[in-house]
Amino acid sequence: HDLLFDQTHKFYNYFLSFMLLAVFWIVHHRQFHYIKRIDHLTLLVNILILMFVALVPFSASIIGDYPFDFAAHLVFSANLFVLGLLFSFNWLHATSKHRLVDADLEQKTITSGIRRSLVAPVVCLLAVVVAMFNPVFSGWIYLLIPLVFMHPVFRY
């Protein structure tokens, strides 16, 4: 019984990682709903996105092994921060001068995509600040990402 209870934080990290990866999958899906063409840079950025997605289980396991260590939380946060920045760059590159999207894509849709893609990096920075004072609590800050996405301003 104690053995399983002692693993609760590891299960939470698994759950959190899965939920965040699901959010990133949704962001990717929404971006490519509008992105109609691919260029070399988009392909490269998406390979980097895949690399940082594949790194999430590892960075989450570090927190599972060292839940009270600021550096462990910094690694996880940095992973998600870079992932969020890559999604932001992907969207900005694709929509700049309607490079890879339809010419009639509304500016409102482009702006909404920028807003959505910046949620994760902002939350990651907040989590790092919280981790400086309370590393364990900082893991709960990431729940803001799916919660923010539920708000209509970030949904569409």
Side-chain angles (χ1 to χ4, degrees):
H1 179 266
D2 286 341
L3 179 66
L4 289 177
F5 185 75
D6 290 344
Q7 301 302 311
T8 305
H9 66 283
K10 287 187 179 187
F11 179 76
Y12 173 74
N13 289 331
Y14 164 78
F15 169 77
L16 179 66
S17 298
F18 182 84
M19 191 170 45
L20 293 173
L21 288 173
V23 168
F24 284 121
W25 176 260
I26 291 167
V27 169
H28 191 266
H29 179 75
R30 285 186 176 163
Q31 284 186 357
F32 277 88
H33 175 77
Y34 295 106
I35 296 173
K36 304 298 182 190
R37 294 169 294 285
I38 301 293
D39 63 8
H40 182 73
L41 184 57
T42 303
L43 188 58
L44 178 61
V45 168
N46 278 269
I47 289 169
L48 289 172
I49 286 171
L50 181 58
M51 182 176 81
F52 282 92
V53 161
L55 188 61
V56 169
F58 172 74
S59 63
S61 74
I62 293 173
I63 294 176
D65 292 340
Y66 306 99
F68 304 106
D69 191 305
F70 171 73
H73 289 271
L74 187 60
V75 168
F76 183 70
S77 224
N79 186 173
L80 296 180
F81 180 79
V82 170
L83 197 49
L85 287 183
L86 286 168
F87 274 108
S88 297
F89 180 81
N90 195 55
W91 184 247
L92 289 169
H93 172 70
T95 59
S96 175
K97 299 179 185 175
H98 290 82
R99 179 181 289 124
L100 303 174
V101 297
D102 288 338
D104 61 349
L105 183 63
E106 295 179 10
Q107 184 59 42
K108 180 177 102 173
T109 303
I110 293 170
T111 303
S112 177
I114 293 167
R115 192 179 312 118
R116 258 194 317 275
S117 68
L118 291 174
V119 169
V122 169
V123 170
C124 289
L125 290 175
L126 177 62
V128 167
V129 170
V130 170
M132 286 189 240
F133 303 99
N134 187 337
V136 174
F137 183 70
S138 75
W140 293 95
I141 299 298
Y142 298 104
L143 293 176
L144 288 173
I145 295 172
L147 291 174
V148 167
F149 276 113
M150 287 187 222
H151 192 280
V153 170
F154 292 93
R155 207 174 321 155
Y156 305 105

